[in-house]
Amino acid sequence: MRRQVLNAIEAGEGDPVVSRLRRRVAAEADNPEPRVELAAHFGKTGQPELELEHLRLAVERFPGSREVHMGLANALRKAAEPAQAAEILGRYLRANPAATADPELWNRLGVCYDEAGDWKSGEQAFRSGLGIAPHLDYLYNNLGYNLLEQGRTSEAVAILKQALQHNPRSETARNNLGLALARSNGSTVGEALQHFENTTDAATAHSNLAAVLMEQQRYDESRRQLQAALDYNRSSAVALANLALLAELDGRPATVPSSPGVTRRRWPVVLLKKIFAPASPRTERPAEAAQGDKP
């Protein structure tokens, strides 16, 4: 530990931001904020190991600090250690009963569990958050995504619809709902399309739906959706890449015939789209809060 501290001191030589924050750390011994800022600075300047060490020391120094524990959990996630991040947040929640009333902590814990592949624990965390704050759309979205990954498609559809009831503008929830509907059964493909159409251009939407259909080995349907995508945009990189993949899977040529341009009157017949090009399947914060308008 002594060597690590010396390394951290030496690493900051000549950096005015580090010098300023170290003075604050020395002057404000009982304030975790400058320690978190110092750690974050090391992370931003390409020194993640120092970011982690400073945050680990801060967790020992401030066992009741939400900010410090959240900072360490985020740093561990960046270091591809989501299981450790979940352990840190879980320990903090157990040691600080008042913190269990914070829905964002449950949300972050659920995200860490999901990233570690512990879907059941992630589900429990999201449900705990919703028990406290049943109005938060991003908790519904993350729970819906979790259920979808567990293969519980019909439950995911119901939860994602609740996310959109609370925030109709959430493109992430709408994309996830479209994905869930496309995976459900043939009768919901049209409904899935309607959601995809609201989040991206027509060519990308068709191509995305084709990708979902490929997952289910519905190759003929997938090829039809790629035909529609390329009718809208013959140079769509996403559609062409999906077509090449489809050709590997079904053994047919990586080409589709040209067809007449699509008009608005034909949209209900031809339009079918897909997902994940414009937005991540998960968001850790509400879109409005994070971006001023994307657990």
Side-chain angles (χ1 to χ4, degrees):
M1 182 63 74
R2 181 173 180 276
R3 181 68 258 171
Q4 290 168 347
V5 172
L6 288 175
N7 285 343
I9 292 172
E10 293 163 3
E13 293 299 327
D15 187 327
V17 176
V18 171
S19 298
R20 174 178 61 80
L21 289 172
R22 282 183 177 150
R23 289 195 297 271
R24 282 194 63 197
V25 168
E28 304 173 33
D30 295 326
N31 181 7
E33 182 181 336
R35 298 171 188 265
V36 173
E37 288 186 27
L38 179 59
H41 179 73
F42 281 124
K44 291 175 183 177
T45 54
Q47 302 174 85
E49 70 286 350
L50 294 181
E51 178 184 22
L52 282 169
E53 290 305 325
H54 276 279
L55 288 167
R56 286 190 171 110
L57 290 169
V59 162
E60 297 298 322
R61 176 71 177 80
F62 302 98
S65 170
R66 176 188 189 274
E67 182 182 20
V68 167
H69 285 79
M70 292 278 272
L72 179 55
N74 288 337
L76 287 166
R77 287 181 60 213
K78 288 191 295 182
E81 294 291 347
Q84 285 191 42
E87 182 181 350
I88 290 294
L89 292 177
R91 187 189 310 157
Y92 175 70
L93 284 163
R94 290 190 297 271
N96 296 274
T100 60
D102 184 343
E104 181 56 22
L105 279 169
W106 289 112
N107 180 57
R108 294 297 179 94
L109 179 61
V111 169
C112 292
Y113 277 132
D114 279 7
E115 291 178 350
D118 188 350
W119 302 104
K120 288 294 184 183
S121 295
E123 177 187 351
Q124 184 177 354
F126 294 132
R127 291 191 186 279
S128 294
L130 285 169
I132 299 162
H135 62 287
L136 293 179
D137 63 280
Y138 63 95
L139 278 168
Y140 287 103
N141 174 73
N142 287 351
L143 175 58
Y145 178 79
N146 173 288
L147 294 170
L148 193 56
E149 290 298 311
Q150 292 189 58
R152 295 156 62 183
T153 309
S154 59
E155 293 175 73
V157 167
I159 291 294
L160 289 165
K161 285 182 176 180
Q162 290 187 66
L164 288 174
Q165 286 174 4
H166 290 282
N167 181 11
R169 295 186 300 167
S170 173
E171 290 191 1
T172 303
R174 195 169 295 283
N175 269 338
N176 286 338
L177 177 56
L179 176 59
L181 288 165
R183 286 182 177 175
S184 296
N185 56 61
S187 65
T188 58
V189 169
E191 187 180 351
L193 171 62
Q194 292 176 16
H195 291 288
F196 299 153
E197 287 176 351
N198 291 326
T199 61
T200 188
D201 63 275
T204 300
H206 282 282
S207 178
N208 286 343
L209 181 55
V212 180
L213 295 169
M214 268 193 280
E215 285 180 357
Q216 301 171 309
Q217 299 182 6
R218 295 159 65 179
Y219 299 141
D220 288 343
E221 295 173 77
S222 179
R223 191 169 284 271
R224 284 196 293 272
Q225 302 317 313
L226 290 173
Q227 169 75 70
L230 292 169
D231 284 346
Y232 279 104
N233 182 359
R234 299 297 293 184
S235 61
S236 169
V238 175
L240 290 170
N242 279 341
L243 181 59
L245 176 59
L246 178 60
E248 293 180 14
L249 295 171
D250 70 2
R252 295 166 59 188
T255 58
V256 293
S258 299
S259 60
V262 179
T263 66
R264 287 187 177 272
R265 281 188 296 179
R266 292 178 59 199
W267 280 11
V269 177
V270 179
L271 270 187
L272 287 165
K273 345 162 114 166
K274 184 212 158 181
I275 271 188
F276 294 141
S280 165
R282 180 192 302 288
T283 178
E284 293 175 26
R285 292 195 168 191
E288 294 70 22
Q291 299 179 358
D293 102 2
K294 199 184 173 202

